[in-house]
Amino acid sequence: MRIQELYELYAKNFLVDTDTRKIRKGTMFFALKGANFNGNKFAEEALDKGASYSIVDEEEYKTNEYIILVDNVLETLQKLANYHRKELKIPIIGLTGSNGKTTTKELINAVLSRRYRTTATKGNLNNHIGVPLTLLSMNKATEIGIVEMGANHHGEIKLLSEIAEPSLGYITNFGKAHLEGFGSVEGVIKAKSELYDFMIKSKGRIIVNPNDKIQVNKTNQANRIFFDDSISFVEANPFVNLIYNNLNIQSNLLGDYNYNNIASAITIGKLLNVSKEDIKVAVENYIPKNNRSQVVKKDTNEFVLDAYNANPTSMRAALENFRKYSASKKIVILGDMFELGKDSHEEHQNIALLAEQLDFYKIILVGENFNSVKVKSSVQFKKFESLKRYLETSEIKNSTILIKGSRGMALERCLDCIS
């Protein structure tokens, strides 16, 4: 079946699902395969639960006329998403970067939704499956789409850009993330810049942070727009405060590193004719969640919970920002950073040394990588269970506590261990 014919079936309801546990009535089920599962096996079950069609790529599972056989289910999903993107004929904002992608995406969505009907990437569904699903979740009511694109290997941003065909692009920054897949910081820059390559080739517009030399150098041949020059940083104590077009904006985002995320959202908002008053309301009302720079108060303690993700760049920024806090008793709990490859030990050692140099009241390290570094005053634990026992038996009162680590460490569990 040609993509155009498949699109006509999809366009009846504009619904796509890949999980039979979450089937919606009238949806089109795509039977994706993975290392440990075969979605083809659930084609009939999807129909029984209300799907209008099931898309499979193994002939033995085409058992009726509502099951459509294709060469490759994943590639068909991606092609359908690109076809839909073309049919939508709306602005699509594509963004990637080493740190701050999701926060920036949510800020952009908050600003633009003050004026437009927007559809943005949910959570971090930003890969070769998530991006097509984001595009296919847009319908005739959508006026602007916001697509987050993540990658841990070369060529992924190129693929995602070709699927989403963004008309406006932004890279948050280039940092030490996914070094195992990219090989080096230079590899990160090359991989993330695949978005720039697409935007330049397609003559799209690029948002650029004028203070980021890499962004400036990489886009000197592009149709670029620098951060609006009426935006200025005031302070982050602990929340980012800034001025935009003579309006004071007090955000709920911690750390001066979040200033660029806010500035990019403001710049895009102004570019797309959102009023400065609406921009102010959107930024001030945005509250981070899902363990991303959340402030949580519990009993006598205050937690800065930043346990969604971590890499050397974001870890360093979090520590240096936490040092500026006016709190008298600051405790740091750091968990392992993943996907650093051959640089893992060195990067964990550097972060441990930095933490000790910043003179916090107490430093607690957890994970196999942090447990192997040499420290002078930090407390180390190889496993979370050992840390849990330590926290439950320690008297931690009247403290401000930074919790930072990669998602796999699930360090938000620390909150239940400190009473």
Side-chain angles (χ1 to χ4, degrees):
M1 179 177 284
R2 294 183 300 122
I3 288 296
Q4 183 178 353
E5 295 173 305
L6 190 65
Y7 184 76
E8 290 173 359
L9 298 177
Y10 154 76
K12 291 179 179 179
N13 295 301
F14 292 104
L15 293 175
V16 164
D17 285 313
T18 60
D19 187 342
T20 51
R21 294 169 297 182
K22 301 175 182 178
I23 290 293
R24 293 169 292 178
K25 184 174 178 57
T27 192
M28 181 173 280
F29 172 69
F30 279 78
L32 296 173
K33 291 185 288 191
N36 301 309
F37 66 92
N38 183 353
N40 285 275
K41 297 179 179 179
F42 303 99
E44 288 191 3
E45 179 183 334
L47 295 177
D48 291 341
K49 289 184 174 180
S52 57
Y53 297 94
S54 287
I55 314 303
V56 301
D57 53 15
E58 294 181 15
E59 191 169 2
E60 65 179 288
Y61 295 102
K62 179 174 171 45
T63 55
N64 64 61
E65 61 181 314
Y66 298 102
I67 297 178
I68 300 170
L69 180 67
V70 298
D71 291 335
N72 183 292
V73 170
L74 175 58
E75 290 179 5
T76 300
L77 177 70
Q78 293 169 342
K79 289 176 181 177
L80 182 67
N82 179 249
Y83 191 98
H84 181 49
R85 188 271 174 271
K86 288 181 168 68
E87 289 293 307
L88 285 168
K89 296 180 176 64
I90 62 172
I92 296 287
I93 300 166
L95 65 132
T96 188
S98 297
N99 303 297
K101 291 188 296 297
T102 299
T103 297
T104 302
K105 175 255 301 180
E106 291 178 352
L107 281 165
I108 294 170
N109 190 38
V111 168
L112 295 183
S113 63
R114 297 289 301 180
R115 175 168 182 158
Y116 303 96
R117 291 188 296 272
T118 61
T119 300
T121 300
K122 292 183 178 179
N124 65 335
L125 291 175
N126 59 16
N127 63 5
H128 61 297
I129 297 172
V131 167
L133 291 177
T134 296
L135 291 167
L136 291 166
S137 70
M138 300 176 190
N139 56 38
K140 292 179 179 179
T142 304
E143 295 176 310
I144 295 179
I146 305 156
V147 180
E148 178 183 335
M149 299 184 287
N152 54 23
H153 289 87
H154 292 281
E156 288 182 282
I157 296 299
K158 179 178 184 293
L159 171 66
L160 299 179
S161 297
E162 290 171 349
I163 294 171
E165 295 189 20
S167 48
L168 181 65
Y170 176 58
I171 299 178
T172 59
N173 49 47
F174 304 92
K176 294 181 177 180
H178 304 295
L179 295 181
E180 189 173 23
F182 294 132
S184 63
V185 174
E186 291 72 24
V188 172
I189 295 171
K190 181 180 179 181
K192 298 296 183 182
S193 294
E194 290 168 7
L195 175 59
Y196 287 159
D197 296 339
F198 178 87
M199 300 306 301
I200 292 170
K201 184 178 179 180
S202 65
K203 295 182 171 53
R205 293 180 293 181
I206 299 172
I207 301 298
V208 175
N209 176 358
N211 298 313
D212 188 317
K213 293 181 180 179
I214 301 173
Q215 291 190 31
V216 173
N217 291 337
K218 285 281 185 180
T219 59
N220 57 13
Q221 301 296 318
N223 178 5
R224 63 186 179 184
I225 300 158
F226 289 111
F227 285 179
D228 190 271
D229 57 13
S230 71
I231 307 169
S232 60
F233 177 77
V234 177
E235 64 176 352
N237 187 29
F239 300 107
V240 177
N241 180 221
L242 53 87
I243 300 293
Y244 164 55
N245 208 345
N246 297 319
L247 289 179
N248 185 280
I249 297 179
Q250 179 64 60
S251 79
N252 290 292
L253 286 161
L254 295 162
D256 50 15
Y257 52 86
N258 265 311
Y259 167 74
N260 290 333
N261 299 335
I262 299 171
S264 66
I266 292 175
T267 300
I268 291 171
K270 181 180 180 182
L271 178 67
L272 295 175
N273 302 312
V274 180
S275 71
K276 65 178 183 179
E277 291 80 13
D278 276 342
I279 289 174
K280 173 181 168 68
V281 170
V283 173
E284 291 191 333
N285 287 348
Y286 173 71
I287 298 175
K289 52 188 177 181
N290 298 327
N291 305 317
R292 299 177 189 273
S293 297
Q294 286 180 260
V295 175
V296 179
K297 294 183 179 181
K298 182 181 177 185
D299 299 325
T300 64
N301 297 312
E302 182 174 87
F303 297 86
V304 178
L305 184 58
D306 196 2
Y308 186 84
N309 212 342
N311 57 56
T313 303
S314 65
M315 190 76 86
R316 176 176 290 274
L319 287 170
E320 291 177 343
N321 182 73
F322 193 55
R323 177 190 57 175
K324 301 174 185 176
Y325 272 44
S326 57
S328 58
K329 189 177 178 182
K330 291 179 282 190
I331 297 173
V332 172
I333 302 176
L334 304 180
D336 276 359
M337 303 173 286
F338 297 156
E339 296 185 57
L340 297 180
K342 60 181 177 58
D343 299 313
S344 184
H345 180 77
E346 179 183 358
E347 295 294 349
H348 281 86
Q349 182 67 68
N350 290 341
I351 291 298
L353 291 174
L354 173 64
E356 294 197 330
Q357 291 168 5
L358 296 179
D359 195 31
F360 297 116
Y361 175 77
K362 183 177 292 185
I363 301 165
I364 302 169
L365 307 176
V366 59
E368 294 186 5
N369 291 304
F370 269 131
N371 190 60
S372 67
V373 303
K374 293 182 180 179
V375 293
K376 294 181 180 179
S377 56
S378 301
V379 183
Q380 294 168 282
F381 300 95
K382 188 174 183 179
K383 300 290 184 181
F384 180 82
E385 289 70 24
S386 301
L387 169 63
K388 180 175 183 290
R389 288 192 291 271
Y390 172 81
L391 295 176
E392 289 175 339
T393 57
S394 298
E395 281 279 325
I396 300 178
K397 305 288 185 183
N398 304 309
S399 301
T400 302
I401 305 162
L402 170 66
I403 300 176
K404 177 81 174 167
S406 283
R407 178 84 298 267
M409 296 299 296
L411 288 189
E412 64 274 10
R413 293 178 290 173
C414 291
L415 269 69
D416 296 326
C417 305
I418 300 173
S419 58

